[in-house]
Amino acid sequence: IAASGQLRLPIAITLVMGQLAALAIPAYQDSVNACKGEGLDRPGRREFCRAVAASFRNGDTFMTEMIGVAMAKRVWPADSAEYRDALEARRRYDYRTQAWGTAGVMAMLSPRKTEEYVQVLADHRREQEVLKAQLILHHIDPTPPADWPAKAQP
């Protein structure tokens, strides 16, 4: 769209994002429902759901990854490495999206920054990788500090 010269790059990006947002969201409901409650007690179901959760956690979008995180927390014991890894994935997502907040809006205000963003999109397949690269490009540490989020003071 941008290459056609009919629209400025920021407008072309906004148009494409709007079109993609309007596409149908994949139907996760069946998988989610099969992997919760009493259904997990069926023979082989917990192992199946662990595999589904792992697959979703490696999805291309934050939505898919976070559904995988929620499923992992249901199918693994709280003291397992998999459960702790799911918690850390959620913490990392929360930190990165919060850290990008205003910086993300500001990053799209100049044509040069918009061109950088298009290049980041071209270089990375997953939405998660795009956000991490954007943070690094804008000198924001993508790794949440050990004490993030800070505990509420009494």
Side-chain angles (χ1 to χ4, degrees):
I1 292 174
S4 72
Q6 299 298 312
L7 298 172
R8 289 187 4 253
L9 189 55
I11 294 170
I13 289 172
T14 302
L15 177 65
V16 170
M17 289 176 148
Q19 291 295 319
L20 291 173
L23 294 175
I25 295 171
Y28 296 111
Q29 197 64 35
D30 289 341
S31 297
V32 170
N33 287 339
C35 294
K36 67 180 181 181
E38 294 176 9
L40 289 173
D41 296 331
R42 294 183 182 159
R45 179 68 60 95
R46 189 169 300 272
E47 291 74 24
F48 170 79
C49 291
R50 286 175 175 172
V52 171
S55 178
F56 282 5
R57 294 248 347 257
N58 289 307
D60 291 348
T61 65
F62 284 120
M63 177 187 291
T64 303
E65 181 186 17
M66 290 303 107
I67 289 171
V69 164
M71 289 175 72
K73 289 168 49 182
R74 284 196 299 269
V75 298
W76 290 101
D79 62 347
S80 69
E82 293 83 0
Y83 187 94
R84 288 189 303 276
D85 187 56
L87 289 178
E88 181 59 23
R90 180 60 199 225
R91 188 177 86 90
R92 187 174 46 247
Y93 164 79
D94 290 342
Y95 168 79
R96 287 178 179 175
T97 55
Q98 182 178 325
W100 187 237
T102 304
V105 172
M106 299 305 290
M108 297 302 283
L109 294 181
S110 78
R112 183 179 63 78
K113 291 293 186 182
T114 305
E115 288 173 10
E116 285 176 357
Y117 177 64
V118 170
Q119 187 59 53
V120 169
L121 290 172
D123 291 344
H124 301 282
R125 182 182 68 82
R126 299 175 70 226
E127 185 177 21
Q128 300 89 322
E129 295 164 357
V130 169
L131 177 57
K132 182 179 178 182
Q134 284 288 90
L135 290 169
I136 292 168
L137 185 64
H138 290 88
H139 310 289
I140 301 170
D141 188 349
T143 305
D147 64 346
W148 192 92
K151 304 269 190 270
Q153 299 299 318

